[in-house]
Amino acid sequence: MVYLSRNDIDDLAERILCNFVRSEYPNGYLCHNIDPVKLAQFYGFDIVYVTITRDGSILGQTSIDEMWTTIVDSDGNEALFYLDGKTILIDKRLQNPKCNGRRNFTIAHELAYQFINRTFPDLYGFDSRIICDYRRSAKPHKEIIDWREWQADTMAAALLLPKQAVDEAMFVFGLGERIKVLSRKYSEYKYNRFCEMAEFLQVSKSALAYRLEQLGLLERNYLIQEAQFMKGAA
């Protein structure tokens, strides 16, 4: 097991994205977003949509080694699926356009697992035989509960939202250099521009807020508290 800092992960993500961005976007292109499907294809990974579990608890799955895993077939029965080390399974329910943000983050999470393990193969050892599941969670954890998952989540955010792309989007969407307060109640205009920015970058609002906090571009985030309040008031 290798323990990477957030700076280590940002540096690795920047190296991974360098050739991809150069290939996808011409010089002078302002405000781009990262398509994780194209990023996966660029590095030779296949995205396959299947029903991984009946209850939808597992959203993504991959392994850097050759392994068999179980999925649910069209008749609702368990079936074996061969992971060849370059395949990423995504729950087919995420093909719904309303799930774009969740789907993109799931793909990026599985890609991050692949990149980290392939960058440090000797340090992971037996872990290379482990299938990486990305599971549906009720709420994000502030503390590190599982280091492997924290690293994959942190790199997923760095892959989808590299600093240059975020800085350019902040400028284009009129949010300045930093958001002091992210709140629909206290600054509806900035909140709406933030939502437009998340839609353009094809990420969820929570993922964008998380990345802005990582980069020091968001001081106070009331996104979750206000969402919980609105849910309780409904």
Side-chain angles (χ1 to χ4, degrees):
M1 181 69 190
V2 61
Y3 296 91
L4 302 175
S5 69
R6 183 172 287 119
N7 286 338
D8 293 333
I9 291 172
D10 276 347
D11 289 344
L12 178 56
E14 187 176 344
R15 295 200 302 271
I16 290 167
L17 289 172
C18 181
N19 291 332
F20 172 74
V21 171
R22 188 181 297 122
S23 171
E24 284 293 310
Y25 304 103
N27 290 334
Y29 192 98
L30 181 63
C31 198
H32 61 274
N33 60 356
I34 301 296
D35 184 336
V37 175
K38 290 183 178 179
L39 179 63
Q41 293 170 343
F42 184 82
Y43 281 99
F45 294 100
D46 294 319
I47 308 294
V48 178
Y49 292 93
V50 298
T51 301
I52 302 176
T53 55
R54 291 187 180 91
D55 62 2
S57 59
I58 298 178
L59 302 180
Q61 193 174 84
T62 194
S63 173
I64 68 166
D65 211 338
E66 297 179 13
M67 297 183 68
W68 289 93
T69 188
T70 57
I71 62 170
V72 180
D73 65 20
S74 57
D75 296 322
N77 301 314
E78 282 195 353
L80 289 174
F81 188 97
Y82 176 66
L83 289 172
D84 59 3
K86 296 286 282 186
T87 297
I88 293 173
L89 299 183
I90 299 297
D91 190 284
K92 66 194 309 181
R93 282 162 279 208
L94 295 187
Q95 290 180 293
N96 185 327
K98 294 181 180 179
C99 299
N100 281 351
R102 173 79 75 167
R103 182 198 64 224
N104 287 345
F105 196 87
T106 301
I107 294 172
H109 177 97
E110 301 297 340
L111 274 176
Y113 176 82
Q114 288 278 357
F115 288 138
I116 293 172
N117 277 264
R118 291 174 184 278
T119 302
F120 305 98
D122 296 334
L123 295 179
Y124 271 91
F126 182 75
D127 283 358
S128 65
R129 295 286 301 165
I130 295 175
I131 288 177
C132 175
D133 290 334
Y134 182 69
R135 296 179 178 272
R136 188 183 299 277
S137 58
K139 59 182 179 179
H141 296 286
K142 292 295 184 181
E143 70 276 13
I144 299 175
I145 296 176
D146 182 323
W147 198 273
R148 185 186 295 106
E149 289 300 296
W150 177 86
Q151 289 182 142
D153 277 347
T154 301
M155 176 167 275
L159 290 173
L160 288 177
L161 298 163
K163 187 177 186 307
Q164 180 184 349
V166 171
D167 287 342
E168 291 175 354
M170 290 280 285
F171 170 76
V172 169
F173 286 89
L175 291 169
E177 296 182 354
R178 181 179 290 102
I179 300 175
K180 289 188 175 181
V181 180
L182 179 58
S183 167
R184 185 201 299 262
K185 178 180 178 180
Y186 292 105
S187 182
E188 186 172 2
Y189 171 78
K190 285 199 171 183
Y191 174 82
N192 289 337
R193 298 298 282 170
F194 166 85
C195 293
E196 292 170 5
M197 178 176 163
E199 184 176 359
F200 170 78
L201 293 172
Q202 290 291 288
V203 296
S204 67
K205 293 188 288 292
S206 59
L208 178 56
Y210 173 68
R211 182 59 171 158
L212 290 177
E213 287 178 310
Q214 283 185 338
L215 295 172
L217 302 179
L218 173 58
E219 294 182 18
R220 286 182 287 171
N221 176 16
Y222 295 115
L223 192 67
I224 294 176
Q225 293 95 317
E226 290 185 351
Q228 290 173 340
F229 175 80
M230 295 296 292
K231 185 177 180 180

